[in-house]
Amino acid sequence: MLVFAVETSCDETSVCIMDDNKKIYSHIIFSQEVHQKFGGVVPELASRAHLEIIQKITKKAFQEANIKPKEVDVYAATCGPGLIGGLLVGSTFTKSLAIGLNKPFMPINHLEAHLLSTSFNNEIVFPHISLLVTGGHTQIYLLKSYNNILLLGETVDDAVGEAFDKVAKLLGLSYPGGKQLEQKAKNGNSEIYDLPQPMVNKNNSNFSFSGIKTAVNLLCKKNELNEKFVENISASFQKCIANILYTKLENTILQLRKKKFNILSFSLVGGVANNDYIKLIISKLQNTQKINMIIPKKEMMSDNAAMIAWACIKKFDRKLIDINFKADPRLKV
Ligand code: ZN
């Protein structure tokens, strides 16, 4: 089965051609730079940027793959959640190709695609826990099987990626600042600032991060924003976030084990899984809880169309083929 997939839910325009033997013929990720000067993603600009580039990279992907559009068996696109303008561009474009070529169209849930991304390069043993950390979501899921996925908890305010970008902005780093903050943290002392860890001791799987940002803001007002301060606060902030994620995930594993779920493995997915420090702290659960950690392939961590193609292959079912599926900005797993 040959799949052509499109991802346009936020500020990455991406297309991928993949077959069910996991062969990736072409995978293009175009990161929009138009948002940099605004310090965050501007939805209207994102939609326009998707519209400008999608046709070009689709043509390029077919050329690179040396495949003709009519050879594709299924067309798939992210249909939510995400920014509605981008979702409409990607899904309508892909549906049009499917209609024109008389091929099936499969709508894909972006979050589900993140959750399934680890199964491309790993064997998932069920029941399985997944911590999804991105710029828009911070959630813990229980996967009983590929078709039985349960949301256990999520952030009540900011997502982790969002908190990173907002704190980076307070520290004067340019957008998107999460990556730069990680670099600054490498030279900083994480013991200098003791930042709050909201909800960490609550007996549930929910998170809250906006209070940490407020605490950083107060410290920024009291201190001079010099290099040393930026490095130390970056290190302290990153440590605080990693500790919250670690504690919440550990607590969730313990709670599930009490309920007789034999959890043997967990995954860390989404763009924030690229953060080496967070990955290192979370990986400690392998020893403390005797549990195996799996992560997606590097190119399938941040938003990308390979995970959309893979989700299509993994979930393919004639019943799910739906040309009338409407893009939904709040689509749930
Ligand atoms: Zn995402």
Side-chain angles (χ1 to χ4, degrees):
M1 184 169 84
L2 194 58
V3 175
F4 173 80
V6 168
E7 155 62 34
T8 53
S9 65
C10 192
D11 59 343
E12 256 93 30
T13 320
S14 180
V15 297
C16 179
I17 302 172
M18 184 193 285
D19 71 15
D20 54 356
N21 285 320
K22 298 186 180 176
K23 179 165 178 182
I24 298 176
Y25 295 85
S26 177
H27 185 205
I28 301 171
I29 304 172
F30 175 81
S31 295
Q32 303 175 357
E33 283 169 4
V34 60
H35 310 287
Q36 263 169 18
K37 57 178 177 284
F38 300 99
V41 178
V42 184
E44 176 63 21
L45 294 180
S47 321
R48 289 175 193 217
H50 287 305
L51 202 54
E52 255 170 49
I53 199 79
I54 195 160
Q55 224 160 315
K56 281 184 209 157
I57 59 172
T58 297
K59 209 170 162 187
K60 195 171 163 209
F62 278 109
Q63 272 165 359
E64 260 180 30
N66 198 19
I67 284 170
K68 292 192 176 59
K70 64 171 190 259
E71 293 175 75
V72 168
D73 298 300
V74 186
Y75 281 80
T78 304
C79 283
L83 300 171
I84 189 65
L87 293 173
L88 285 174
V89 171
S91 63
T92 307
F93 175 80
T94 315
K95 278 181 189 180
S96 309
L97 280 171
I99 293 170
L101 294 155
N102 198 20
K103 302 282 181 177
F105 170 79
M106 188 149 154
I108 302 292
N109 181 309
H110 180 87
L111 299 176
E112 203 172 2
H114 271 304
L115 296 174
L116 299 183
S117 64
T118 31
S119 66
F120 185 82
N121 55 332
N122 300 278
E123 198 61 53
I124 295 187
V125 181
F126 299 106
H128 175 84
I129 292 278
S130 192
L131 172 62
L132 186 153
V133 270
T134 72
H137 295 87
T138 301
Q139 301 175 315
I140 299 182
Y141 286 94
L142 169 65
L143 283 75
K144 292 184 182 171
S145 73
Y146 287 118
N147 294 314
N148 190 348
I149 302 175
L150 209 70
L151 176 66
L152 299 178
E154 63 185 330
T155 179
V156 296
D157 40 56
D158 293 347
V160 169
E162 189 182 359
F164 263 80
D165 287 341
K166 284 180 176 170
V167 165
K169 198 172 176 181
L170 290 172
L171 299 177
L173 306 173
S174 61
Y175 181 85
K179 195 80 210 154
Q180 288 182 63
L181 192 150
E182 187 186 355
Q183 286 306 320
K184 297 281 178 199
K186 283 187 181 144
N187 301 320
N189 181 348
S190 63
E191 304 298 322
I192 303 238
Y193 300 104
D194 190 18
L195 297 168
Q197 298 187 14
M199 290 175 73
V200 78
N201 293 321
K202 283 234 165 80
N203 202 16
N204 60 33
S205 303
N206 289 336
F207 304 88
S208 169
F209 299 106
S210 69
I212 312 168
K213 175 191 65 197
T214 310
V216 171
N217 193 20
L218 287 173
L219 286 167
C220 286
K221 283 180 179 149
K222 278 193 218 151
N223 292 274
E224 190 197 327
L225 276 191
N226 59 34
E227 188 66 11
K228 205 68 235 156
F229 172 76
V230 170
E231 286 171 358
N232 289 337
I233 203 103
S234 295
S236 304
F237 169 77
Q238 193 172 247
K239 182 183 163 199
C240 170
I241 296 280
N243 280 346
I244 295 172
L245 295 174
Y246 176 94
T247 310
K248 283 291 183 175
L249 196 53
E250 183 173 53
N251 187 42
T252 304
I253 294 165
L254 292 172
Q255 292 300 323
L256 285 168
R257 283 182 176 161
K258 262 190 209 163
K259 289 178 191 162
K260 306 283 178 241
F261 281 100
N262 187 20
I263 309 285
L264 298 171
S265 71
F266 75 94
S267 51
L268 179 66
V269 302
V272 181
N274 279 309
N275 180 299
D276 290 328
Y277 179 80
I278 288 182
K279 218 173 356 192
L280 177 76
I281 297 297
I282 301 282
S283 72
K284 292 186 177 169
L285 281 167
Q286 295 192 110
N287 285 327
T288 55
Q289 291 305 325
K290 302 282 168 275
I291 188 167
N292 188 32
M293 168 169 155
I294 55 175
I295 52 168
K297 241 167 98 89
K298 186 113 188 124
E299 64 176 306
M300 287 169 81
M301 279 186 182
S302 299
D303 289 351
N304 66 88
M307 71 176 191
I308 304 302
W310 178 240
C312 173
I313 290 165
K314 218 58 199 155
K315 300 230 19 147
F316 187 78
D317 181 339
R318 289 271 152 205
K319 288 194 281 283
L320 297 173
I321 297 293
D322 185 3
I323 201 85
N324 293 317
F325 191 93
K326 288 188 192 74
D328 179 354
R330 301 197 198 285
L331 191 62
K332 295 206 170 23
V333 171

